[in-house]
Amino acid sequence: MNLSLTNRYAFFAGCVLITLASLPWLGSLWPLTLSTALLSLIGINDLLQTRQAVRRNYPILGNLRYLIETIRPEIRQYLLENDSDPLPFSRAQRSLVYARAKNQVADKAFGTLSDVYGTGFEFISHSIRTASHSDPRTFRVTIGGPQCSQPYSASIFNISAMSFGSLSANAIRALNRGARMGGFAHDTGEGSISPYHREHGGDLIWELGSGYFGCRDEQGNFDPERFAEQARQPQVRMIEIKLSQGAKPGHGGILPKHKISAEIAATRGVPMDRDCVSPASHSSFSTPLELLAFIARLRELSGGKPVGFKLCLGHPWEFMAIAKAMLQSGILPDFIVIDGKEGGTGAAPLEFTNHIGVPLREGLLFVHNTLVGLNLREYIKLGASGKIVSAFDIASVLAIGADWANSARGFMFAIGCIQSQSCHTNKCPTGVATQDPLRQRALVVPDKAERVYNYHRNTLQALSEMLAAAGLEHPSQLEAKHLVRRVSATQISLFSQLHIFLEPGALLREQLEGDFYPKMWEMAQAESFEPRTP
């Protein structure tokens, strides 16, 4: 663009001159005249507008810069992206989900594309004595501790939290219908239970966020009667209190009133004449002991169903404060879901997405170790969510402490998401993350539900084959010693060597290695999330 003054305006001037020169021959040259006239008008508008300097300096031609910028993600994704570029999911990862969702062969020929000598490469070690392939339908875990009267037998692979409002009605329908077909669970997200969640009868995990949508009074506070009415419905199998979310932990949200449709208002239990506020923290509790009392209350109101909470780990002493409150009160959650900072969201500030929250594996290992160190692990099941799409992803979190895994974006891919990253614009090209009725009409529910079912089934089948190669028969047998990472060009290590794994009761006996766990345990207090000062 470093052209002389004449050249910068040459194309615009040429359009004007051609328009004027062709006017006498308008009858025969009208297509040319019309085209150059329109371009001339664009050029005049570019010169008169004051918001974009490039267009003022390069009338007509400057618009090409903005046109190319708008399609840059598509150009990169389809023409320039490497199969292994993880932005945020690689082409290879997406292709794997698409193939399994369509029931196509996902096998690859000619060897791996991964750099097996690159630092960070991971794999599952196999056994000389392989096991027989287990039926993936048996890959289930019973969730519900001693204080729960209605435990739930869950698949080890479920649909993670995504609200109606963030996703379209047809997307919710397809996900829930697929979950019913495959016998796995569908997390509602904090937007509450919509009619589309109920339509096909798939098992639901009702996520309760700080806005208490679906069970709130006019002031936005928790309403026990409205909660009990929904929680006791047979389709609701578990209750999940959302403390924080991986992609934007500690960040509340506002749904502007102009975006609140009648359906969203009815689902969330909010008025349409004001903004819908989702606070950054809960109003029903403010201390660890109050959180556990709230859990006990929800369990009673739901008729004894499993109640737990989801969090992205932040200050370590805060989770240990909750653990101390468990010991002091005797109240235990039935499950905890650890959400990694790599988790997805419809929209979040870039600083939160990139620089707030603990990644999944570190958070999971810390929570697992804390519960083991207090002899509580056998009573509380752990779920894991955050960029999980393949059988290896599931195996890797199970090996370091999880009982089951959740996936959101994996199942979005299964119903047609192409990673256009336009979830927050209401212009999703595949009808997945939009409320535009015409756009979501393109998402055909029966077809996409079948793909959800296929993706789940084929992924667990792949996990069964991996387990057999490792000499194992059930996912519960996976341990850290089965997972291996390359830590340098000349060294690989088992995860059991890379990380500290506490012995049962170690925190109670104060028999701990290093300074981290003893220090965090000393700082934690059941009465407050604030750290104890020496």
Side-chain angles (χ1 to χ4, degrees):
M1 288 187 174
N2 294 322
L3 304 175
S4 66
L5 180 66
T6 302
N7 288 338
R8 285 195 286 120
Y9 292 94
F11 188 78
F12 168 58
C15 289
V16 173
L17 290 174
I18 292 173
T19 301
L20 296 175
S22 62
L23 285 176
W25 296 276
L26 185 61
S28 58
L29 298 178
W30 69 267
L32 176 63
T33 305
L34 179 61
S35 299
T36 55
L38 290 175
L39 289 173
S40 299
L41 290 175
I42 291 173
I44 293 170
N45 180 64
D46 289 340
L47 291 171
L48 296 177
Q49 60 86 34
T50 58
R51 298 187 63 183
Q52 294 172 325
V54 171
R55 289 170 56 201
R56 285 172 66 87
N57 277 331
Y58 304 91
I60 305 177
L61 292 177
N63 289 279
L64 294 176
R65 183 261 183 195
Y66 299 99
L67 174 63
I68 294 172
E69 186 179 58
T70 61
I71 61 173
R72 178 181 178 275
E74 288 79 8
I75 292 174
R76 174 177 173 78
Q77 181 172 339
Y78 294 114
L79 300 179
L80 305 177
E81 182 183 279
N82 188 289
D83 280 353
S84 58
D85 288 344
L87 297 170
F89 286 87
S90 69
R91 181 68 197 176
Q93 289 174 306
R94 301 196 306 273
S95 296
L96 176 67
V97 176
Y98 296 149
R100 286 180 173 162
K102 296 175 183 178
N103 232 11
Q104 297 173 347
V105 176
D107 298 345
K108 295 293 182 182
F110 220 67
T112 181
L113 296 178
S114 301
D115 180 6
V116 300
Y117 294 101
T119 301
F121 175 73
E122 294 177 351
F123 58 97
I124 295 286
S125 58
H126 68 279
S127 172
I128 293 175
R129 299 183 60 187
T130 59
S132 58
H133 291 182
S134 300
D135 185 350
R137 291 175 295 183
T138 66
F139 293 174
R140 307 191 73 83
V141 56
T142 300
I143 304 172
Q147 298 164 355
C148 168
S149 60
Q150 294 191 54
Y152 174 53
S153 175
S155 169
I156 64 161
F157 189 40
N158 301 290
I159 302 171
S160 197
M162 295 180 285
S163 300
F164 167 61
S166 294
L167 297 191
S168 68
N170 278 359
I172 296 294
R173 286 184 175 113
L175 290 170
N176 194 257
R177 181 169 173 173
R180 181 183 60 78
M181 293 166 63
F184 53 99
H186 179 192
D187 194 312
T188 65
E190 66 174 308
S192 191
I193 307 170
S194 71
Y196 311 110
H197 287 98
R198 297 189 181 96
E199 192 169 315
H200 296 289
D203 290 349
L204 294 177
I205 301 170
W206 183 12
E207 184 178 87
L208 212 61
S210 57
Y212 305 118
F213 299 127
C215 58
R216 57 186 268 156
D217 59 23
E218 293 184 359
Q219 289 72 44
N221 298 314
F222 177 72
D223 185 328
E225 292 184 2
R226 295 189 68 184
F227 171 80
E229 181 183 353
Q230 294 216 66
R232 289 177 180 261
Q233 294 176 5
Q235 191 180 356
V236 177
R237 308 308 296 266
M238 302 200 303
I239 314 297
E240 176 184 280
I241 303 169
K242 174 187 163 184
L243 300 183
S244 57
Q245 170 182 346
K248 50 181 178 182
H251 190 277
I254 297 178
L255 183 65
K257 61 183 179 182
H258 66 270
K259 290 187 177 181
I260 302 176
S261 66
E263 288 180 317
I264 293 175
T267 296
R268 297 194 175 198
V270 298
M272 297 181 62
D273 62 348
R274 69 192 75 164
D275 294 340
C276 176
V277 178
S278 182
S281 58
H282 283 257
S283 60
S284 294
F285 54 86
S286 58
T287 70
L289 287 170
E290 289 176 356
L291 166 61
L292 293 175
F294 188 58
I295 288 173
R297 188 183 187 194
L298 296 187
R299 193 153 44 209
E300 179 183 358
L301 290 169
S302 67
K305 293 181 178 179
V307 179
F309 60 87
K310 178 179 86 172
L311 85 165
C312 176
L313 187 69
H315 298 317
W317 61 83
E318 291 184 343
F319 179 77
M320 281 194 163
I322 298 173
K324 277 192 174 179
M326 295 180 199
L327 296 179
Q328 183 172 320
S329 67
I331 301 171
L332 302 179
D334 296 293
F335 65 92
I336 300 170
V337 175
I338 297 88
D339 199 15
K341 74 164 280 76
E342 62 267 47
T345 182
L350 187 63
E351 292 84 356
F352 276 74
T353 302
N354 289 345
H355 303 293
I356 297 286
V358 174
L360 171 58
R361 290 185 181 179
E362 284 74 15
L364 170 61
L365 185 59
F366 177 77
V367 171
H368 171 74
N369 267 339
T370 300
L371 297 179
V372 169
L374 298 176
N375 288 329
L376 296 176
R377 182 64 179 87
E378 62 181 300
Y379 307 113
I380 302 171
K381 295 297 189 290
L382 297 182
S385 60
K387 211 169 182 181
I388 294 173
V389 296
S390 71
F392 177 78
D393 296 336
I394 298 171
S396 65
V397 295
L398 297 186
I400 59 175
D403 294 295
W404 85 90
N406 294 332
S407 176
R409 288 168 290 180
F411 283 100
M412 287 177 67
F413 292 143
I415 58 174
C417 170
I418 59 172
Q419 195 173 276
S420 67
Q421 300 182 59
S422 57
C423 309
H424 59 300
T425 66
N426 204 36
K427 296 180 180 179
C428 172
T430 59
V432 175
T434 178
Q435 296 304 304
D436 185 323
L438 288 178
R439 288 179 179 272
Q440 65 173 293
R441 181 178 176 272
L443 196 158
V444 180
V445 173
D447 174 64
K448 303 306 183 187
E450 186 73 27
R451 295 189 184 191
V452 170
Y453 165 72
N454 288 338
Y455 169 55
H456 178 272
R457 178 175 56 84
N458 289 327
T459 300
L460 289 191
Q461 181 60 47
L463 179 61
S464 174
E465 294 171 2
M466 290 187 71
L467 292 173
L472 307 175
E473 296 180 349
H474 194 273
S476 61
Q477 296 175 297
L478 278 165
E479 298 180 31
K481 65 185 179 184
H482 297 117
L483 189 60
V484 190
R485 174 184 288 173
R486 177 169 290 283
V487 294
S488 73
T490 59
Q491 183 181 2
I492 62 174
S493 295
L494 307 181
F495 265 58
S496 56
Q497 299 171 308
L498 290 173
H499 298 286
I500 294 174
F501 288 86
L502 299 189
E503 294 293 326
L507 276 170
L508 298 174
R509 298 191 303 270
E510 298 184 356
Q511 298 176 346
L512 300 166
E513 298 180 31
D515 297 329
F516 177 69
Y517 282 95
K519 183 63 176 177
M520 294 303 105
W521 185 244
E522 181 184 354
M523 293 172 63
Q525 52 182 334
E527 297 78 15
S528 173
F529 286 111
E530 293 294 325
R532 188 193 305 276
T533 55

